[in-house]
Amino acid sequence: MATTDTSGAATPEPAFDPALPAAGTLERLTPLVRRRICANGGPFTASGTCSYIVGRGEVAIIDPGPDDADHIAALVAASEGETISAIVVTHTHRDHSPGARRLQALTGAPIVGCGPHRAARELAEGEFPHLDASADREHRPDRELAEGDTVSGEGWTLTALATPGHTMNHLAFALAEENALFSGDHVMAWSTTVVAPPDGSMRAYMSSLDKLRDRPETLFWPGHGGPVRDPRRFVRGLAGHRRQREAAIRARIAAGDGDVGTIVLAVYQGLNPALRGAAALSVFAHLEDMVARGLIRSDGPPRLDGVFEPA
Ligand SMILES: [Zn+2]
C-alpha cells in the first residue's frame, strides 16, 4: 500500500505506479519470459495477478492466478504448440494458486512449488482469522519444492527460494539464464507487501528481505505490477521502510497510544480507506514482533484488539 510515514526520516517508499502494466494482453518481456495479467485488478492486486510463461517450446507457467476461466484459457492459447512441463505456484492466496487446478485440468501438467497453506502461528484464544478468505486451502502440489529445489526445461531452470513472511509457504524462483527472479508477493514495485498475522509473520518477512538483498539477480518479476529494477537497492529500501515504520509505532506506544486503531491513525496519513484494514494488520504484525523481541508488552497473547504498552 502506498502510505506516508510521520516519523520524518526519508526512507524511500515504493510509490503507486500509475503506469501499471495492463491486464488481458500477452506480452513478451524477455527472450524467456512472457506475461499475461489476469483481469482481477484492485487495491491489493494492482492491475491484476501477473502470470508468467517461462521458456520456449517447453514452458513453465508461474502463478496461473485465481480460478478465472478466461485468463486460464488465454494462458493455454498462449502456449499452444508448446509443452507445459510445470505449473509453478509461489504461494497459496486466492489470487495466485486456484487457477493452477483449472490449468492442470486442461493440460495435465503437474503443479509444483509451494506446499499447502499454513499459518505462522496458532490463533490466540478468541482471535479472529482476519484474512482467512484470502487463503487457498485446497492447494496440494504434485511436487512440493523446498529451498534450492529446481524445476527445469529446455533452456531454463527455476530454483526455489524459501521467502516466508507474506505467507509462510511463500517461494520465489530464480531464473539463472536471465539473472532474474520471480518474487511473488514478497517484493513488489507497486506496493508494500501485506504481512498479516496469524498467517503472515513480520519476523519471517524481514529475514526473507535480508535473504533477497544479497541475491545476484538484477531484475525481479513480481506477482503484481511491473518489474523491480535495481532490486538490491530496492530491497534495502523496503527493509529500511519497515524499520522506520516499526520505530514510528514504538514511538506511539511510548507516547501512550495502546491500541492498533489509534496507532494506524497516527502513523498512516492520507491512507486509502480501502486499505485501512490491511494497515491495521500491518501495524499488528509489527506489534506482535516487538512483543516477541521484548520491546513492548501486551495484555496476554498479542491480538489485533489487544492493549500494548512499553516494556
Ligand atoms: Zn499474496
Side-chain angles (χ1 to χ4, degrees):
M1 66 203 81
T3 53
T4 308
D5 256 305
T6 54
S7 52
T11 303
E13 177 173 7
F16 178 79
D17 179 2
L20 284 171
T25 54
L26 183 76
E27 284 182 80
R28 177 168 291 285
L29 303 166
T30 66
L32 284 177
V33 179
R34 285 164 280 172
R35 177 186 64 202
R36 189 183 194 275
I37 297 177
C38 184
N40 63 330
F44 295 102
T45 57
S47 46
T49 304
C50 298
S51 299
Y52 296 99
I53 303 177
V54 180
R56 286 169 178 269
E58 183 187 7
V59 301
I61 297 185
I62 299 179
D63 281 358
D67 183 20
D68 181 302
D70 289 347
H71 181 59
I72 301 302
L75 291 174
V76 171
S79 49
E80 200 187 334
E82 301 179 290
T83 303
I84 302 172
S85 59
I87 301 166
V88 180
V89 176
T90 61
H91 70 293
T92 42
H93 275 157
R94 300 201 67 81
D95 56 331
H96 289 261
S97 51
R101 297 189 285 280
R102 181 180 286 268
L103 184 56
Q104 180 170 59
L106 292 171
T107 64
I111 297 173
V112 305
C114 71
H117 193 80
R118 63 193 158 89
R121 60 164 171 79
E122 301 283 309
L123 281 176
E125 200 182 326
E127 186 180 25
F128 184 77
H130 307 284
L131 286 186
D132 205 44
S134 66
D136 171 16
R137 298 185 186 280
E138 291 163 48
H139 174 76
R140 297 286 181 278
D142 297 299
R143 186 180 156 220
E144 182 174 336
L145 300 182
E147 172 75 19
D149 287 347
T150 61
V151 51
S152 58
E154 178 75 42
W156 54 267
T157 304
L158 294 169
T159 303
L161 277 118
T163 41
H166 172 65
T167 63
M168 294 313 281
N169 61 0
H170 193 287
L171 297 176
F173 294 94
L175 174 63
E177 289 83 356
E178 292 193 344
N179 202 24
L181 184 136
F182 297 91
S183 54
D185 282 8
H186 178 55
V187 173
M188 301 182 284
W190 81 287
S191 166
T192 52
T193 294
V194 173
V195 178
D199 273 14
S201 157
M202 188 60 72
R203 178 75 65 94
Y205 170 78
M206 292 299 285
S207 301
S208 295
L209 280 187
D210 284 346
K211 183 175 183 174
L212 290 199
R213 201 181 48 198
D214 300 325
R215 295 290 306 177
E217 289 82 9
T218 53
L219 185 64
F220 286 4
W221 296 112
H224 305 274
V228 175
R229 304 186 191 279
D230 197 357
R232 284 180 180 220
R233 189 178 153 195
F234 186 81
V235 168
R236 273 202 307 277
L238 285 180
H241 168 68
R242 296 287 180 160
R243 280 193 295 272
Q244 187 182 332
R245 168 74 30 85
E246 178 189 286
I249 293 168
R250 197 176 174 193
R252 294 318 308 167
I253 297 278
D257 288 348
D259 66 276
V260 168
T262 306
I263 294 168
V264 167
L265 289 178
V267 169
Y268 291 79
Q269 289 182 341
L271 179 66
N272 175 350
L275 298 175
R276 204 169 285 155
L281 288 166
S282 178
V283 166
F284 176 48
H286 279 293
L287 292 170
E288 178 184 273
D289 182 32
M290 283 192 277
V291 169
R293 287 153 57 206
L295 300 176
I296 62 171
R297 275 204 305 253
S298 62
D299 58 337
R303 290 168 37 155
L304 187 67
D305 57 356
V307 177
F308 300 85
E309 61 182 23

